[in-house]
Amino acid sequence: MNKILATGLMLAWLATGASAQQPVKKAPKKAPAKTLPAKAVAAGIPAELKQSIPFDPEVKVGKLPNGLTYYIRKNTEPKNRAELRLVVNAGAILETDDQQGLAHFLEHMAFNGTKNFPKNEIISFLQSSGVRFGADLNASTGFDETIYQLPVPTDSVRLFEQAFQILEDWAHNVTLDLAEIDKERGVVLEEARSGRGAGQRMREKYFPLILNNSRYADRLPIGKDEIIKNFKPEVLHRFYKDWYRPDLMAVVAVGDFDVAKVEGIIREKFSRIPAVSSPKPRVRYPIPPHKDTKIAIVTDPEQPNTVVQIMYKRPEIKGKILYDVREAIKRVLFNSMIGNRINELTQQSDPPFLAGYSNYGSFLGDQDAFSSYVIAKDGNVNRAVTAILDENARVDQFGFTETELDRAKKQYQKAVDRAYRERDKTRSGSYVNEYVENFLHGDIPVSIAFYNDFLKKYLDGITVGDVNNLAKQFITQENRAVVIMAPEKDKDKLPTDKQILALINNAGKSLTAYVDKTLDKPLLPTLPVGNPVASEKQIRDINVTEWTLRNGVKVVLKPTDFKNDQIIFSATSPGGTSLYTDKDFESARFASTLAQMSGIGDYNQIQLGKYLTGKTVSVSPYIGETNEGISGSTTPDDLETALQLVYAYFTAPRKDMDVIKGFLSNQKSYLQSQLATPTPQKVFQDTVQSLLGAYHYRRLPLTPNRLDQVNVDRADAIYKERFADASDFTFFFVGNFKEKDIKPLIEKYLGGLPVTNRKETYRDLGIRTPAGKIEKTVTKGIEAKSTVQLVFSGDFVWTPENATQIDALAEALEIKLTETLREEESGVYGVGVSGAYAKIPAQRYTFRIGFGCAPENVDKLIARTLAEIEKLKQNGADPKDIEKFKAETRRESEVQLKQNNFWLGYLSNQYFNNDDPTEILREDELLKQVTPESTKQAANQYFGKNFIKLLLQPERKQ
């Protein structure tokens, strides 16, 4: 299960707020702290903004007599699917000292036996119905909540009703079988083990400081190993009894169903849960305020980079009235503009940091925070902190410009407009999250129609002065916290607490106002002279049309109605870096990156971003190993602009030496830090990549010395070579368009692309995974944790039949290894099996099996894995597992066939591989060919003598 905050609570997460460019179609749960007394502010609020925020009328909200809340909404995207949630307003924060980790442990136990689904029957039942464990069926435990998620089909009445039975069982009928508890201890301990490392060790040091010794600092959801190993079952029962009760629960159901019927099911099943007569108070634990600046400087021998975060914490304020909605819009605009400014700092010839941001958003518990985050370049804390704080201070002293605000407004209005246009194509999962937030935090979900109207009415009235005032509210000396995380080897180079405080307090000296540099020129100085469609072919079975333009460009079109405001596209041509020598390889691999970050024509990257304000356009050139091409997305309204960008990337690439110099210097600094403090996972991944690539030059890890081989002029020449001839490019367009409308634009811009009619293809570099039996152990790391990767590979006969057998074999083995290594052995948290196959540059297959575990269990678990593989070779896959694979595949296809992204990827792969584009229609036929006998043959064929065992083992303690 994917635990929220359970294993990887990262400092950066704590400061992450809503993306500035995403529509906030719900009322805020917070507003900036007020500099004026509340009564004075209220007096200045227009009467119309004092009205309560209107709850989205499309959702039915109710409460049962026992106190359980429910939310129900009909939504047909995706069709015949529903998203169900059981939300428990209780998490790790409510654990007593002897229960630390048991909120999370209880969540695990919900999948290990309930009244109506003993042992692992929930997982088995849902898999047989096409619901994948982990990818679909999942749960998470946080500090304050536990959430169970269950996406299910609705076209089976029995399955749909059983899904609600599962939710009810989780709510009050988890059996907590003693044997299952003892088995699950090992699984949870392995999950905890997987999260150990530099981040966890440093977090234990800085959390008490930045959280001012609040209860949150001592209630990480993953808990404590000693408690997990030794707790008595009655302690777990006590948590379940105390906190899993109807007044702290909500059921959320959004999907393609009859609302009245779903309400009847909920009332029938969840009314059976008895109310608690004398419930324990659901205490809200504060993060205490503090006048001083809390500073935590922590180091670790496995931390590669120096990271600094400065947080200005403040109390959250619940959004209740329309004024709060308007205030939230101000923060969106603020975050957008300051984010753009900080991004510009990385476009310099010598950027002051590797990465950074300043952002206002949610923090933790009852707190918000304005946070600034930087990864120091070459470990230079002073320079990185000064640069980010100066940018904050520049806003505080001089504010934003009118032109910046105008762009931010246009971009945000465009995002909300798109959300409104897609209102009938919004996925159920998006709505579910809004209702979960309402139950847990009181965020009021509003309809996108209301929000779009509200934005149109009030956005123009927000002035630059309104937004500028936020900086003074956000940046204060109280409730300030600073965390520095750095490599152990740099401990003596780090500033002291006193120096850090001085650095922060003295920021913003001798600044000048920001100058908003824009360019007002046509994107294309001269419009191309196009070429018409010369030939057309229809593939009616999949509603695809092929055009060949007179200049040789091929275009494949699939119009859809899956999204109202989306057109996505790609282009591909054979060649890539394979056509260049190893001497030119580094220049070739970075050629498209350097070209894109340089801009196009007269526009550098910053100016181009400003020019495109108010448009939804993304176009990116790429050069891979065997091909080069373009990927992009846009809307029907902005398609012409997108095609102009495509044309410009072919005909007018730039070479911006300042940006390129800054990018390469940052890359080199990053690589040097990785070499100076090689983390266990990085060393292992580099070893795996190198060995599986037979130590070919192009499969070795990137190093500072190799980066120095990038010749900017040669990279520029290679880019131009790859995009000099469009005659062997095939373009793919999928989305909401009509062929007659798109045709003139295609003929003009793609028909105008340059051609030389050269004949070329990719080059097979002969890189193959080594044959035979190979074992490699990497010894690296402080923690007692191991990583195992087992690899089988070999030649492959490329057919749809063989590909389907590999898919089935991989899924069947993963199901079986989850049952054995996790449920029976209690030795892993998760195990992954992937079966991959390729036609280009050579027909090959690769099976990879991976898991993490305790060092002392490595040999036992590998032996069990190989034993399960041997069973497959002897008997084939379990018929029940085959049926699960088929059900999951069919259910997945039902959704994918209604997704633009799926069709774009599918069509581009089929054409590049020169395969039949109608192959997708054969799925049922191919699935019928999967049997125990076919998987037996596949296992014997693909689990052969080419076997590589790769291990990461910890260093022995001296």
Side-chain angles (χ1 to χ4, degrees):
M1 285 145 272
N2 178 23
K3 308 302 181 303
I4 294 176
L5 304 181
T7 60
L9 184 61
M10 300 304 294
L11 188 61
W13 173 88
L14 289 175
T16 302
S19 168
Q21 298 303 329
Q22 295 300 312
V24 181
K25 72 180 220 48
K26 60 181 181 180
K29 74 174 177 182
K30 309 158 188 92
K34 306 170 181 63
T35 54
L36 295 173
K39 290 183 179 180
V41 173
I45 298 174
E48 62 185 15
L49 291 179
K50 292 180 181 179
Q51 298 177 45
S52 297
I53 298 169
F55 206 99
D56 187 349
E58 294 298 315
V59 58
K60 183 161 192 174
V61 184
K63 182 171 285 193
L64 301 179
N66 60 11
L68 184 137
T69 304
Y70 60 84
Y71 302 79
I72 310 171
R73 180 185 184 125
K74 182 175 178 62
N75 188 59
T76 57
E77 181 60 36
K79 186 176 175 60
N80 294 328
R81 292 293 187 280
E83 290 282 349
L84 308 182
R85 299 290 186 273
L86 174 68
V87 187
V88 186
N89 187 10
I93 201 73
L94 298 175
E95 295 166 344
T96 55
D97 288 344
D98 61 343
Q99 291 175 330
Q100 291 180 71
L102 297 196
H104 171 229
F105 195 98
L106 177 58
E107 174 228 301
H108 272 244
M109 291 305 299
F111 295 87
N112 285 292
T114 67
K115 176 182 176 181
N116 294 286
F117 298 90
K119 297 186 180 297
N120 298 116
E121 279 302 306
I122 284 179
I123 296 172
S124 182
F125 167 72
L126 291 170
Q127 284 178 327
S128 66
S129 304
V131 180
R132 294 181 186 271
F133 178 51
D136 300 322
L137 173 66
N138 215 318
S140 61
T141 302
F143 288 103
D144 286 294
E145 73 287 321
T146 307
I147 302 171
Y148 297 87
Q149 68 178 54
L150 181 52
V152 292
T154 59
D155 53 0
S156 166
V157 174
R158 174 179 172 272
L159 170 58
F160 189 50
E161 291 186 354
Q162 285 290 77
F164 284 97
Q165 185 59 64
I166 291 171
L167 294 186
E168 186 206 339
D169 273 16
W170 283 338
H172 72 131
N173 283 326
V174 178
T175 51
L176 301 178
D177 178 82
L178 296 182
E180 293 295 328
I181 287 174
D182 285 339
K183 285 199 299 183
E184 200 63 21
R185 293 180 198 267
V187 175
V188 175
L189 289 169
E190 287 307 316
E191 183 179 356
R193 187 190 309 277
S194 70
R196 292 191 189 125
Q200 166 258 332
R201 292 190 294 267
M202 292 187 294
R203 182 180 60 219
E204 290 179 353
K205 297 176 182 177
Y206 69 68
F207 244 42
L209 272 165
I210 67 170
L211 300 179
N212 200 18
N213 294 307
S214 77
R215 190 177 178 89
Y216 286 96
D218 196 36
R219 285 297 184 272
L220 290 177
I222 198 63
K224 295 185 176 181
D225 283 5
E226 285 306 307
I227 290 177
I228 301 302
K229 290 176 184 176
N230 301 309
F231 74 84
K232 294 180 179 180
E234 54 265 29
V235 180
L236 182 63
H237 277 274
R238 173 161 41 93
F239 188 90
Y240 190 38
K241 179 182 177 182
D242 286 344
W243 304 116
Y244 276 56
R245 60 186 205 230
D247 61 302
L248 294 180
M249 287 183 181
V251 173
V252 182
V254 180
D256 191 6
F257 49 61
D258 182 279
V259 171
K261 288 182 179 179
V262 169
E263 184 175 29
I265 294 172
I266 291 174
R267 286 189 168 277
E268 175 200 350
K269 294 189 178 298
F270 291 90
S271 293
R272 298 190 289 229
I273 307 174
V276 177
S277 56
S278 299
K280 293 183 67 172
R282 199 318 188 175
V283 179
R284 297 287 173 180
Y285 292 93
I287 298 175
H290 51 93
K291 297 286 187 182
D292 60 334
T293 299
K294 305 292 184 183
I295 299 176
I297 301 175
V298 294
T299 61
D300 192 273
E302 293 177 355
Q303 169 68 13
N305 301 311
T306 300
V307 178
V308 183
Q309 186 158 356
I310 303 151
M311 293 154 280
Y312 305 85
K313 296 171 289 181
R314 60 194 310 106
E316 67 172 1
I317 298 177
K318 304 290 185 182
K320 297 179 180 179
I321 60 175
L322 296 181
Y323 172 81
D324 298 324
V325 179
R326 185 175 180 274
E327 290 298 291
I329 295 170
K330 292 182 188 177
R331 297 199 303 277
V332 170
L333 300 173
F334 181 96
N335 282 344
S336 175
M337 290 186 285
I338 198 167
N340 287 334
R341 284 194 183 184
I342 291 170
N343 181 58
E344 288 187 20
L345 297 180
T346 65
Q347 307 294 306
Q348 302 173 359
S349 60
D350 183 20
F353 42 70
L354 299 183
Y357 69 79
S358 286
N359 176 280
Y360 185 92
S362 299
F363 182 63
L364 188 64
D366 59 355
Q367 299 280 291
D368 282 355
F370 177 73
S371 296
S372 293
Y373 175 94
V374 284
I375 302 176
K377 184 176 182 178
D378 302 325
N380 192 332
V381 172
N382 286 12
R383 186 181 181 215
V385 170
T386 298
I388 196 91
L389 293 184
D390 276 356
E391 217 51 52
N392 294 346
R394 198 184 315 275
V395 174
D396 188 20
Q397 294 174 26
F398 302 102
F400 296 108
T401 66
E402 294 284 357
T403 50
E404 286 179 288
L405 180 62
D406 182 58
R407 286 196 303 272
K409 287 179 177 180
K410 285 181 180 177
Q411 200 66 21
Y412 190 56
Q413 182 67 71
K414 178 73 172 185
V416 175
D417 282 342
R418 286 200 75 199
Y420 177 71
R421 292 183 189 185
E422 299 288 8
R423 62 193 180 280
D424 63 329
K425 301 295 173 67
T426 301
R427 295 181 69 84
S428 295
S430 298
Y431 292 120
V432 161
N433 293 335
E434 293 183 20
Y435 309 143
V436 169
E437 288 299 303
N438 174 254
F439 178 69
L440 293 174
H441 305 296
D443 299 14
I444 302 175
V446 298
S447 73
I448 186 61
F450 163 80
Y451 192 77
N452 192 41
D453 289 343
F454 185 91
L455 196 66
K456 282 180 167 59
K457 183 175 182 180
Y458 292 102
L459 183 63
D460 285 346
I462 295 176
T463 67
V464 71
D466 291 337
V467 182
N468 290 343
N469 288 336
L470 295 180
K472 287 183 170 58
Q473 297 176 29
F474 293 166
I475 303 170
T476 65
Q477 293 190 1
E478 294 184 359
N479 295 312
R480 187 168 59 183
V482 182
V483 176
I484 299 178
M485 296 178 285
E488 182 76 25
K489 65 179 181 58
D490 293 342
K491 188 172 185 177
D492 295 337
K493 302 177 185 177
L494 297 173
T496 63
D497 289 11
K498 185 177 180 180
Q499 289 169 329
I500 282 291
L501 194 57
L503 195 65
I504 295 172
N505 289 335
N506 292 324
K509 304 293 185 184
S510 304
L511 294 179
T512 57
Y514 172 81
V515 178
D516 189 13
K517 298 178 181 178
T518 60
L519 191 63
D520 185 18
K521 289 185 177 182
L523 199 58
L524 300 179
T526 304
L527 294 178
V529 177
N531 278 288
V533 172
S535 65
E536 178 175 314
K537 176 184 175 182
Q538 300 285 338
I539 309 177
R540 299 189 187 282
D541 288 344
I542 55 173
N543 191 31
V544 163
T545 301
E546 295 178 5
W547 288 339
T548 301
L549 307 184
R550 189 175 291 170
N551 63 347
V553 172
K554 190 172 184 178
V555 182
V556 179
L557 305 116
K558 182 173 175 60
T560 72
D561 59 1
F562 308 149
K563 287 286 186 181
N564 299 323
D565 205 33
Q566 182 186 69
I567 298 174
I568 57 176
F569 57 90
S570 67
T572 186
S573 164
T577 62
S578 69
L579 300 182
Y580 298 91
T581 64
D582 287 350
K583 179 183 177 183
D584 280 338
F585 174 60
E586 305 302 344
S587 299
R589 81 194 296 192
F590 281 100
S592 60
T593 302
L594 301 184
Q596 184 173 14
M597 63 177 41
S598 292
I600 52 172
D602 293 326
Y603 284 85
N604 63 32
Q605 191 181 41
I606 295 171
Q607 293 166 337
L608 182 61
K610 294 176 180 179
Y611 173 85
L612 294 173
T613 295
K615 298 181 183 295
T616 303
V617 177
S618 172
V619 178
S620 300
Y622 69 86
I623 301 176
E625 184 165 279
T626 59
N627 68 332
E628 59 274 344
I630 296 280
S631 63
S633 63
T634 187
T635 67
D637 289 346
D638 297 325
L639 177 60
E640 183 165 11
T641 301
L643 291 174
Q644 289 178 347
L645 285 171
V646 170
Y647 182 82
Y649 277 121
F650 270 85
T651 62
R654 294 178 86 252
K655 184 171 63 177
D656 189 325
M657 288 306 300
D658 281 345
V659 173
I660 291 171
K661 182 181 177 182
F663 168 76
L664 292 176
S665 71
N666 270 12
Q667 288 291 307
K668 188 170 184 178
S669 175
Y670 174 79
L671 292 170
Q672 286 170 334
S673 68
Q674 295 288 314
L675 280 180
T677 308
T679 65
Q681 206 58 39
K682 175 72 165 62
V683 174
F684 184 59
Q685 289 172 351
D686 286 349
T687 301
V688 171
Q689 174 184 312
S690 300
L691 193 155
L692 296 185
Y695 294 96
H696 190 283
Y697 177 78
R698 301 190 186 206
R699 295 295 184 267
L700 299 179
L702 184 63
T703 63
N705 288 338
R706 290 183 64 159
L707 190 70
D708 285 340
Q709 296 175 31
V710 175
N711 181 302
V712 176
D713 291 334
R714 182 62 179 135
D716 182 54
I718 289 171
Y719 177 86
K720 291 175 179 176
E721 287 173 10
R722 291 298 86 223
F723 291 89
D725 180 16
S727 66
D728 64 351
F729 273 77
T730 301
F731 283 80
F732 303 87
F733 290 84
V734 179
N736 187 17
F737 59 83
K738 294 179 180 178
E739 291 177 14
K740 65 179 180 63
D741 296 333
I742 200 174
K743 190 174 184 179
L745 297 175
I746 296 291
E747 291 177 327
K748 182 176 184 178
Y749 294 105
L750 302 190
L753 292 174
V755 297
T756 62
N757 295 309
R758 65 189 177 194
K759 302 298 179 184
E760 67 177 9
T761 187
Y762 57 85
R763 182 166 64 99
D764 184 355
L765 300 172
I767 304 173
R768 306 287 188 270
T769 300
K773 188 174 182 179
I774 300 172
E775 295 187 13
K776 180 72 174 180
T777 300
V778 173
T779 304
K780 186 72 176 173
I782 298 170
E783 296 289 346
K785 56 191 289 188
S786 298
T787 302
V788 176
Q789 282 206 25
L790 309 177
V791 182
F792 294 87
S793 65
D795 293 330
F796 181 64
V797 178
W798 181 268
T799 68
E801 289 79 7
N802 288 343
T804 302
Q805 294 297 329
I806 282 187
D807 291 342
L809 195 59
E811 181 65 15
L813 181 57
E814 182 168 292
I815 290 172
K816 198 58 66 181
L817 291 181
T818 299
E819 291 175 1
T820 53
L821 303 191
R822 175 177 165 133
E823 303 302 335
E824 294 179 16
E825 298 287 349
S826 301
V828 303
Y829 170 56
V831 57
V833 180
S834 65
Y837 33 86
K839 187 177 184 180
I840 293 173
Q843 296 185 22
R844 299 278 296 175
Y845 78 89
T846 304
F847 267 98
R848 295 178 73 159
I849 304 163
F851 55 85
C853 65
E856 62 270 20
N857 289 336
V858 166
D859 292 340
K860 176 181 71 171
L861 296 175
I862 290 176
R864 186 69 192 267
T865 299
L866 296 178
E868 292 303 321
I869 290 174
E870 193 59 35
K871 289 180 183 178
L872 286 172
K873 295 167 79 171
Q874 293 293 327
N875 307 311
D878 186 324
K880 292 181 180 179
D881 294 341
I882 290 175
E883 289 309 308
K884 291 175 183 176
F885 161 72
K886 291 179 179 180
E888 290 171 354
T889 302
R890 290 189 180 107
R891 288 299 188 182
E892 186 176 50
S893 293
E894 288 173 358
V895 174
Q896 287 182 336
L897 289 174
K898 297 292 185 181
Q899 293 176 337
N900 290 332
N901 283 323
F902 166 78
W903 278 105
L904 183 67
Y906 170 76
L907 290 171
S908 60
N909 285 335
Q910 293 299 106
Y911 277 83
F912 190 69
N913 287 326
N914 197 29
D915 288 338
D916 181 1
T918 66
E919 185 182 296
I920 188 69
L921 303 178
R922 296 184 57 205
E923 182 176 89
D924 281 343
E925 170 198 337
L926 295 170
L927 289 177
K928 288 176 183 177
Q929 297 174 26
V930 179
T931 64
E933 181 58 32
S934 74
T935 54
K936 175 182 175 180
Q937 293 177 10
N940 281 282
Q941 182 172 354
Y942 300 123
F943 293 126
K945 295 181 180 179
N946 295 337
F947 174 56
I948 300 176
K949 180 168 72 175
L950 298 140
L951 305 178
L952 172 62
Q953 297 278 38
E955 301 163 51
R956 293 183 179 179
K957 294 181 179 180
Q958 302 297 320

